[in-house]
Structure formats: structure tokens, C-alpha cells
Amino acid sequence: MASLVLPLLMMGVATGCAEEYPQSSISPHTDFAEIIHSLYVSIFWWSMLILAVVWVLLAWVIVKYRRKSEDEKPRQIRGHLGLEIGWTIGPALIVIAIAIPTIQAVFATQQPVADDAMTVEVTGHQFWWEFHYPEQGVTTANELWLPVDQPVNLRLESNDVIHSFWVPKLGGKRDLNPVPAVREGQDPKYNWLYFTPRETGVFMGQCAEFCGQSHALMAMRVVVETEEGFQDWIDRWFASEGADFPGDPEPEEPELQMPGMDPDDEPDETQVAAEDEDPLVALGRETFLNSTCIACHGVEGTAAQGVIAPNLTLFGARKTLGAGIMENNQENLVRWIIDPQGIKAAVAMPGTEYPGGNWPATGLSDEEVEAVAAYLLSLK
Amino acid sequence: MAQAAAAVDDHGHTTTGISNFKVGFWTFIASECLFFGTLISTYMVYKGRAVVGPYPAEIFDVLITTISTTVLLFSSLAMVLALYSVQLGRKKHAILWLLAVIAMGGIFLGMEFNSYMKYIDYGLTLGSSTFGSSYYVLTGTHKVHVVLGMVWMGVLIWLIARNRIPPAKAEQVEIAGLYWHFVDIIWIVIFTLVYLIQ
Amino acid sequence: MSSVGTAAPEQQDTSHGEETGLWSWITTVDHKRIAIMYFVTATFFFFVAGVKALAIRVQLMFPEQTLITPEVYNQFFTMHGTTMIFLVAMPMAVAFFNYVVPLQIGARDVAFPRLNALSYWVFLFGGLYLNSSFLFGAAPHASWVGYATLTMPEFSPGQNTNFWLIGLSILGIASIAGGVNFITTIINMRAPGMKLMRMPLFTWMTFVTSFLLITAIPVIGVALIYLGFDRLFGTVFFQPGGGGDPVLWQHLFWIFGHPEVYILILPAFGVISDVIPTFSKKPLFGYPIVVYAGLLIGFIGWGVWSHHMFTVGLGPIADSFFVAATMIIAIPTGVKIFNWIATMWGGSLKFTTAMLFSVGLVAVFTVGGLSGIMHASAPVNLQQHDSYFVVAHFHYVIVGGAMMGLWAGLYYWFPKVRGRFLDETLGKWHFWTTMIGFNLTFFPMHFAGLFGMPRRIYTYSAELNVDIYNQLSTVGAFIFGASAVIMVWNLVKSWRSGEKAPANPWGAPHLEWSIPSPPHHYNFPAIPEVRSREPLWNDGEREEILAKTMHEPDSEPVMPNPSYWPILLAASITLIWALVMTGIWWVIALAILPVIYCVFKWGMEPAFPEGH
Ligand code: HEA
Ligand code: HEA
Ligand code: CUA
Ligand SMILES: [Cu+2]
């Protein structure tokens, strides 16, 4: 049987060798993922045992009882009670051996949350992720930053269709459901995912529930940092733009002026360029803050306060662009701003020449696009 | 459809002695049970979860519904009597009782539509809340069944009038009765779960 | 047991004065012809859906390819899954129900021949309707499970999802009618002496499957009604903004969906439970246990649906319940596996193609069953759900289980249908290309899944490092495609000029082998009486039966009239459903008229020739 090599292959998989697979589900890096993995390994070996028994028996009868002559008259055996009981009880015992640790793990992975857990509110959108840290007051997108060894509790919900949060090395997935409206005074029901990262590093994740045209392109990165690294990131988030400008006032209400917005509008007073600033970046900032971008996007410390698209604060520090689908660099970013839908179908963002997400084309020139990209990448 | 039931086998002989048509119809009713079961479960799942009013307690008039339910119940009695008359070959009685079934079905529908109108006035529509959606689709489906039953009775009357249902073929009426009783019983369940236990 | 197969009666190869020609097929109510139509149609749809699978495989062969747009990809996998399940696997099983069950129980036809024809035509029109969506560029695109809220009008504007939900409702009518028909047939049309516990296993599994059909289909029927109302009439069943819960759709879908997967597998189990004893020259080991196991699978299958929803967040208590319920199914399934092996144990095994497919099923279905057990462990499922690991699981159980079982049945019963054998050499080619192609296609998917490849993605990042697995799959899919071509080639060739087959070519024990191949249109000249589970294997009983079944009757039994009302009624039912798409109530209301007319004419038409 050609398929006899298969279990050997599977054994290889069970015993590790998963490091070159950045999204491997059998390479645990949290307590949560470890529970799952050890359960998986034990069920895997039970399965191999059963498979071996079935295949060996099958091979045996195939070889041994092949018909030798048409006149053979095998004994007509109709059954055997003892055997029937045997192969009912045997599997039943194995089922129990699998089910008990499974149910223990079910409860272990959905246990009450530790008091010191950090909450992050995750909202799924077609086709990107929003991460809000209520305790820190920080909002970011597509790249989730977490401190190592700190229990984290993700509150999951969706803004449109069902998505599913899956970062295999950090543990199993859970769906982001649209939360049904409830009557006043009742609590809406959210999904939660709870784990403690054990190692620093960058982990790949991807939306695991089919959510429309660009479901394939709804990825993300999780950056697990040291305690200090994480705190530094938070600090930088608040400092991002205004940091160079002590005494920066509260950002003004965004001017939700529509297309055809006057480009001569005076830029925000506080956005005076620092002395040594690249003129391209300065131009980019000005262009960005005066175009439709800010109707949807927000950048902390500026007039850009849009909330319906990824928050772009510290965007330059992100490793990837477009919800984890490509490297975040000038070239890709320019391509993105010019033609987001060409890169990612059905994205709700206008390009330079066509509308998107209820907004008309941004109409930026190539030069302006270069500048905006440079500006966004400067946000670190 | 009735003729389709005649067994292909020699002279209507069947394994159980019960005609194919009847066995088949019972099977179909089993299927219908799951159908209504799902509709009713949905209603129960959404019970108390409507975001905006009106809420059931605000609009249901149990008295009116009790009356319409009683009417429907009595139509089942008429159905029994119609079958009985057909079996005895009392053509006129049979037709009268079947007419009574249709009439009571009609009264039931009329009262129910009257309530619908009231509910709509209160602001309960198909799309107003999960209560509206699950209530109208559940009871509406039941109403469609009542209408179909009434049409079926009409056809039976026509057949009886033309002497096409002699006592020997009373089973045709019996099966229509089976259907009608089923529709009735479903209503009792709906009445209990939707109106009485709020 | 002295003369298994040797008492094969004189062979016959006449068409027994039956009418031929297109019109006779359109108006036929003969279960055997309907069966053939089912089989041909399902095979046709197998290619329709298979081509889409090949397109999917080509697109996924390399990372970041752009041969197919995401929208088209979504339409392809949605229609691949929908077509394979509803237009291939289910109707192909129904083809066998139709052909075999009346013959196995000693009946001249099914209980409701015209209803049977109606089922077929509704299925055909529903299938064509569903696929016609491609002509309008509006093929369904929200996966075969159609989760809300992706199917809500905001996220799926246009007719795509309407095609899907209406198409499935039409097909549901065919399935329920079929279920009612087979339940009635099996309850009521058995030959004298054919007690329930003497029925061949295939008939038994048809019986269980039919119950699953009539109980599971209404549930999805209601779900589809809700979906249609949400889309067309503004209800809020699945609209979170109005308080509706999209998860309700998932519950309803899977309450139907899980019994549905047993609807797919049980007929295959039935087939091989007949095939294996025949080619082992031994009665089925533990017959009653195998029957009860089948009943139990069907029954427990109702309480496990949420194992498709472990990631939905139902809470630990619900999860634990569904873990336990799901895993319990392994036990009766294992009992079947071991009983098949025990049947072969000590037997005299002859590896015809039918037997090869049966043994192949036992070997590979087990792989799929065991990956099912891994999914059933809720925490493990959190890693595997919606990854290619699941895709591997279900193709192993469906293709390696359901389809292989049906192909075993094809080679087994073809001689009965045609009076000619399917070519065994081509058959072995078919089997081995299937085995190799199938395993090469779907085994690597386990790895792709474990290494983090989600399903339903039109492309994947090179970073995932899963290219090699996808390439193996693609190569395998083409080998598998070739096997399908071999099968069809064999069918065509053997239909025309296969080696002639006698009445009981395999020396099999059941009633269908007691009549000529092909059978008379009235099946049995006289209804035989049965005294055991393997009537043709018992000296004495066999001769008595053959005396009744192999002789021309004095006068031909009366058979039902052909009728064109089934096809007309089916057409009008399809029409009315299709018009629901318009959402205009009076158009829909008007379309009821032809339905009423057809039902009326149908009712008035005599089912039997005058005087009977
Ligand atoms: C023919 C169809 C078929 C069959 C028979 C099965 C059989 C089983 N399936 Fe499968 N399944 C599908 C078709 C089928 N499935 C499909 C189509 C999907 C995906 C739907 C979608 O999302 O698109 C799916 C998905 C699916 C899931 C959800 C995965 C996910 O999306 O996360 C789960 C989870 O529990 C599951 C479990 C099982 C189990 C436990 C069995 C059991 O019945 C298997 C039992 C058999 C054995 C276990 C092997 C033989 C037994 C022995 C040799 C005895 C000893 C064994 C033990 C002691 C373990 N299946
Ligand atoms: C009966 C059920 C059934 C069957 C038989 C198959 C058969 C096949 N399926 Fe499957 N499949 C499903 C049911 C089935 N499938 C379901 C339910 C889904 C889920 C859908 C969803 O997510 O909504 C799915 C999803 C699915 C996917 C995942 C798509 C995704 O998630 O993005 C893939 C990917 O490879 C796939 C591949 C295949 C292949 C290669 C075959 C092969 O076996 C096909 C073999 C047949 C042919 C190839 C056709 C015959 C030959 C020709 C057309 C001539 C060509 C000529 C030559 C090659 C010489 N299928
Ligand atoms: Cu979001 Cu898939
Ligand atoms: Cu299932």
C-alpha cells in the first residue's frame, strides 16, 4: 500500500522541525498554545496506534486470505460476541483517554482571567485589525504589541462580518463575531481570548474565518516585547508627532471637510516642521493633513482623527503594510496609496484615481504620494 | 396524488397492511415537525432579546387568541365528523362538515389577520426586531399551512360532490384529516409557548 | 454454501419490450431509469465541480499567484463545495437507492413512482439553476456554509447569494420527497419474509439515510427561509444591528450540516457492507451489530453539530458536551471497520475493482476519521479549525469514504444494470489512479494546515513555506482528474461493448441478483419469498426463488403509466422559486398558478393503465 509511508511522514511532523514555518500551529510559544500542543501530540499518537492496528489487520487479511481457487469454501462465521464487545470497549477506553484531558484543557484554556491581565480590545474589519488598549488609551492596527510574560486578555468583536483571530504560535483561534445589539441595561456578549506570551519575538497571524474577497490578505503581526520595550512603544505612541513640540495643545477637532477641500487651507499651526526635517516629510505631512486621508485615518497628536480606518500613529515602526501582507517600505507604500484596491480587492480605501469606501479619489499627484509615504514612514 | 399511493405491488398489498399513502404522509409529517420545531426554537431563542419594543407582553391579547384557538380546535372536530360521514357514505353531511372546517379555518385566519393589523399599528413589523421577525415568520408559516389545508378541503368537497370518494376511498379524507389535525396541534404548541408562557 | 455463483441462471440481454427514445425517458416513472438519470447527472456535475477544483489547485500551486481574481476564486470554491455535496455525492447515492433498493427488497418499484420522477427533475432543474448563476456572472461566493453576516445584503449585494439560497431550497424539496419515498418503500414494499433484520445492509443504510434526510433538510430549509427574508424582506434574524445573532445561522446550518455528512457516508458504508461479504464468500460479520452501529451513528449525529463551532465562543460547558458526543461516534464507526475486517478474515477474497474500492475505503476513511477525532478535541480544534487540516479531513472522509464507496457500488451493480461488466483492467487503472491521486492531493494538506495555511484563501504568502505541499496537491489533483476520465471512458466503453454478464455474476447473496441482467421493467415476474439474510446462498431457498424470478410470467405485471406531469411540476416549482429573486410579491403569486395546475392534473391522472 503506497500510503504506508504516510504515518512515517506524520511522525516527522509531530516531533518538531517546525521552526522554518513562521505560522506553524505546532510550535507553541504561550501557555495556551502549549496546552493545546501537548493535547494534540497525545491524540496524534493514539491515532497512530489505531491506524496501525487497522492497517496491519487489513494488510494481514489482504495477504493471507486472497482467493487461491474459485472452489474455496470458507467457514461461514456470522459473528462473535466476545470480539464485538472487545472492539467496542477498546475504542471506548481510548475515547475516554482522549476525552478527559480534552475536557480538562477546555476548562484550562477558558479559565477566569487573572487579575493582573492586560486587556486589549480587538475589532475585526474587512480586511484589517484594530487593536485598542483601554488601559493605556492607545489604538493601533494590524500589529499587536504585547509585553512578554504578562497575561493578556483579548476582547474580540467585529464591525462587519465574522473574522477569526489566529496567531498559531500564540495559541488557538477565536472568532470575532459582530455583537448583536442588546436592550438598554443588558450586557453585550463578547468573545475573549486569554494567554501569556512566553518569549519575545514577532509572530505571524492571519484571519481564519472567510470574510469576503480579501480574506486571504487579512494577516497581522504580533510583536512580543520585553516589559521595557513595550512601555517604550506606548510612550512613543503618545509622543509620536507632538513630542518635538512641548506644550502641544489638544488636537483640534478634525475638519471633516469633504473632497475638494481647499489645499490652500492653512496647515495646523502646531505642525511646524522641526528644523532638521526632511522637506519631503514636511510636504507629506501637509498633504496628508489636507487630504481626505484624515477623514478615515488618525495620527496621534495631529489633526488626523479619523477612526474608521487603521490608526497610523507610529506607522513607520510597523513591519508590514496592508494588514500584514507586504513589507512596509517606501516603494510598497507608494503603490498602496496610489492603488490600494489593485493590491487588495474590495478594500474600502480610495486610490489616487478612483473612489473607495464612500470617498472619492484622493487625486494626489505622484509627487504628493511620495511625500505622504515619506511622512508616514517617518512616524516611528 | 391519491392514486400515486396505490401500491405498485399486487393489488395494493403492503408489508405493514397500511397503505403507502398513509405511511408516506406520516413520514412527511415527521419532516414537518422538524420544520416547525426549528421555527419555534428560533422564537424561543430570541425570546426576551428584542432590542426595541413592542414586546410580546405589551401587545398580545390572550383572550382573542384563545377564542381563535378554540375555533381552530373545533374545526378538528368537524374534520372528524366529515371523515365519519364519508365512511358511512353520507355525502351531504360530509360536504357540510368540510364546509364547516373551511369556515372555521377562515374565521381563525380572519381573527389572526386582525391581530396582525393591530400589532403592525403598535409598530411590530417583520423588520422591527427579532421578536417581530421570528413571530411573523413562525405564525405566518402556520397560516400558509392553514390556507393549504383549506384548499385541500375544497378539492375534497368537489370530489365528493362528483361521487369520486366512495366510502372505500375514505382514506383520502382521512389523510387530509391527518394533515388538518397536525396543523391544529402545531398551533396548540405555538399558542402555549408563544402566548401563554410569556 | 455449495454453489455460490455457480447456479447463475441463463443470461439474458434483451430490453424486454420496453419503450425507448427520449420521450420515454422524460416521462418514465421506472425507478431503474430514474436511477440511471440520477447517476449520469451526478457524474456530469462531478466534472463541473471537478474543473473548479482543478482551477483552485492551479491557482494555489505557487504562492502569490494572480491567475484567478479573488472574487472568481470565491465563486469557484463555493460552487465546488456546494456542487460536490448537493449535486454529486448526495444524488449519486440516491441513484443507487433508486436502482438497488426495490430490487433488494423484492419490489416492482418504489412506493411513489411519479414522486420519484419529480424528485429527479427537481434535482436536475435545481442544479442547473444553481449553476446558471455563472452565466449571469453572479455565482454564489460566500462558501458552502454561507455564514451570516457575510450573506447579508450589505456584504453580499447582488444576486449571488440569492442563487445559492434559492438553489438549495429547490434541492431540498427533491431530497425530502426522496426521503419520504424510500422510507415508505422500505417499510411497506418488502417481499414476503423480508423482515427488517433480513434486509441487506445497503437497504438498511438507505433507510437510515432517508430518515436523516427528512429530518435534517427542514432545518436548513428554515434557515434558508430566514436568510431569504433577511435579504429580501428586511427581517433581522441574522442582523446584529437589529438584535439578530449571526451565530444562529451557524447553529441551524450545522444542525443540518452534521447529519448531512452522515447522509454522505452511510450509503457508502451500506455499499461496502454488501460488497465485502460477496467477494469474501462469507456473510457479513456481526450483521445486527453493523445495523445498530449505523442507526447509532445516524442518531448521535444529531447531537454533535457544535463541533464545527468550537471557535465561536460557546463556553466551556457546551464545548465539553459536544466534545464527548462527537468522540462517541468513533465507537460505532470503529465497530463497523472491525466487522468489515472480520468479514474478510478467514474468507476467500477476490479483488475485483468493486472489492478494491471497498478495501481502499476501509484504509483511507480511517485516516479521515482519525483526523476528525483530532478536530473533535475542542482545544486542538482551535488550532486546526478553518485550516487546510480540515480540508484534508473532509476530503478523506468524503472522497476516500463516500465517493470510493459509491464507485465500489458502481463496479458491483453495473452488470445488473447493463447486463455487461465494466472493464476490469480499466477498473484497476481507475482504482490505482484514484488511490495515488487522491492521497497525493489531500495528504499534504494536513501539513499545509498544521503549518498555518487557512482555508478559503485565494493566495498565500511565500513566507508560510507551504509551497511544496500545495504543489504536491496540485499534481495529485490532476492524477485524480485523470482517474475520473478513466472511469467515464470505462462506463462508455462497457455500456456499448462490455463483456456480457449473467444474472448473478459475482455469486452474491441478495435478491437483486436473482433476476435477469438487465432486469425486466417490472423487476420480478413473481414476487419471491425470502427465508434468510443471504437467500441466494442457501440451497433450496435459492432454487425456490429462482423459480419465481427467472421465468417469464404468464401475463406481464401491470406497471404504472408514464407521466409528463413530474417534469412539468418540477419545472413550475423551479420557476416559482427562481422568481422569488425578483422580490416582487405579485410575480411570485402569479407563478403559483402553474404549480397548482400541475398538481391538479397530476392528481387527476390515473397512475395505472385503465382497468387496474
Ligand atoms: C462523509 C462525511 C464526513 C464524515 C463521515 C465525517 C466524520 C467525522 N467528522 Fe467530519 N467533516 C466533514 C465531513 C465528514 N466528517 C466535513 C464536510 C467537514 C467540514 C465542513 C466545513 O467546514 O466545510 C467536517 C468537519 C469536521 C469537524 C469540524 C472541523 C472544523 O471546521 O473545525 C469536526 C470536529 O469535530 C469533525 C469531526 C468528525 C468526526 C469525529 C467524525 C467521525 O464520524 C469519524 C469516526 C471514524 C473514526 C474515528 C475512524 C474509525 C474508527 C476506529 C478505527 C475506532 C477507533 C477509533 C478511536 C478510538 C478514535 N468533522
Ligand atoms: C463530494 C465532495 C467533494 C469532492 C468529491 C471534492 C473533490 C475535490 N476537492 Fe473539494 N471541497 C468540498 C467537497 C468536495 N471536494 C467541499 C464541501 C469544500 C469546501 C468548500 C467551502 O469551503 O465552502 C471543498 C473545498 C476544496 C478545497 C479548498 C478550497 C479553499 O478552501 O480555498 C480544495 C483545494 O484544493 C479542494 C480540492 C478538491 C479536489 C482537487 C478534488 C478532486 O477530488 C476533484 C476531482 C475531479 C476532477 C478533477 C474532475 C474530473 C476531470 C476533469 C474535469 C477532466 C480534467 C482532465 C484531466 C486532468 C486529464 N476542495
Ligand atoms: Cu477576516 Cu477572514
Ligand atoms: Cu460534523
Side-chain angles (χ1 to χ4, degrees), chain A residues 50 54 91 94-95, chain C residues 144 254 261-262 264-265 307-308 326 329-330 333-334 337 365 369 372-373 375-376 381 385 390 393-394 397-398 455-456:
Chain A
I50 295 162
V54 170
I94 298 181
V95 162
Chain C
W144 88 282
W254 289 117
V261 309
Y262 293 128
L264 301 179
I265 198 66
H307 66 216
H308 297 270
T326 303
I329 296 196
T333 315
I337 301 257
F365 173 82
I373 293 299
H375 297 324
N381 182 282
H385 175 72
V390 174
H393 158 67
F394 69 75
V397 281
I398 299 184
R455 61 192 285 209
R456 298 176 180 147

Side-chain angles (χ1 to χ4, degrees), chain C residues 302-374:
Chain C
W302 271 92
V304 303
W305 75 88
S306 282
H307 66 216
H308 297 270
M309 300 168 60
F310 285 140
T311 63
V312 168
L314 301 174
I317 295 174
D319 283 357
S320 304
F321 172 83
F322 287 105
V323 164
T326 303
M327 288 188 176
I328 287 175
I329 296 196
I331 300 167
T333 315
V335 164
K336 282 190 175 242
I337 301 257
F338 293 122
N339 274 299
W340 290 322
I341 295 178
T343 306
M344 291 187 266
W345 192 285
S348 165
L349 309 191
K350 181 167 182 185
F351 287 97
T352 59
T353 310
M355 183 66 165
L356 283 175
F357 271 112
S358 305
V359 175
L361 183 154
V362 179
V364 296
F365 173 82
T366 307
V367 176
L370 292 170
S371 56
I373 293 299
M374 298 179 189

Side-chain angles (χ1 to χ4, degrees), chain A residues 234-374:
Chain A
I234 298 282
D235 294 343
R236 277 190 290 140
W237 195 87
F238 282 106
S240 71
E241 268 278 348
D244 299 339
F245 313 101
D248 188 15
E250 281 290 286
E252 287 173 23
E253 279 296 296
E255 278 182 74
L256 279 188
Q257 210 172 312
M258 281 314 87
M261 201 186 262
D262 190 354
D264 296 333
D265 252 4
E266 235 178 302
D268 193 321
E269 225 45 71
T270 61
Q271 302 299 319
V272 187
E275 266 154 46
D276 56 347
E277 196 177 51
D278 183 341
L280 193 63
V281 171
L283 172 67
R285 174 189 295 116
E286 191 187 322
T287 316
F288 180 78
L289 291 172
N290 286 304
S291 63
T292 46
C293 311
I294 60 168
C296 306
H297 292 284
V299 176
E300 179 67 11
T302 74
Q305 292 291 308
V307 292
I308 61 172
N311 187 299
L312 298 177
T313 314
L314 290 191
F315 179 78
R318 277 188 211 157
K319 285 154 197 68
T320 60
L321 161 67
I325 58 170
M326 51 193 177
E327 201 192 321
N328 190 12
N329 57 32
Q330 177 78 11
E331 187 195 344
N332 282 341
L333 188 52
V334 166
R335 272 205 307 143
W336 175 267
I337 298 172
I338 292 174
D339 182 17
Q341 285 157 52
I343 296 175
K344 202 166 165 181
V347 147
M349 166 164 158
T352 49
E353 275 162 18
Y354 56 78
N358 298 332
W359 293 85
T362 56
L364 300 184
S365 69
D366 284 357
E367 194 202 352
E368 286 169 322
V369 170
E370 286 283 346
V372 168

Side-chain angles (χ1 to χ4, degrees), chain A residues 160 178-181, chain B residues 46 51 127 129-130 133, chain C residues 148-149 151-155 227 229-231 234-247:
Chain A
D160 34 49
V179 177
Chain B
Y46 275 149
V51 185
S129 66
T130 46
S133 300
Chain C
T149 54
T151 46
M152 291 293 104
E154 304 89 292
F155 305 109
L227 180 58
F229 268 70
D230 271 12
R231 288 182 63 84
T235 51
V236 295
F237 287 104
F238 309 124
Q239 288 283 18
D245 194 343
V247 174

Side-chain angles (χ1 to χ4, degrees), chain C residues 46-47 50-51 53-54 56-57 73 77 80-81 84-85 89 143-144 388 391 394-395 398-399 403 441-442 445 455-457 477-478 480-482 484-485:
Chain C
F46 178 60
F47 276 77
V51 171
L54 292 183
I56 289 173
R57 285 313 329 159
Y73 182 90
F77 83 72
H80 163 71
M84 282 291 190
I85 301 268
S143 92
W144 88 282
Y388 261 78
V391 180
F394 69 75
H395 283 93
I398 299 184
V399 183
M403 300 303 287
T441 313
F442 298 112
M445 289 184 186
R455 61 192 285 209
R456 298 176 180 147
I457 53 173
F478 277 89
F480 194 19
V485 175

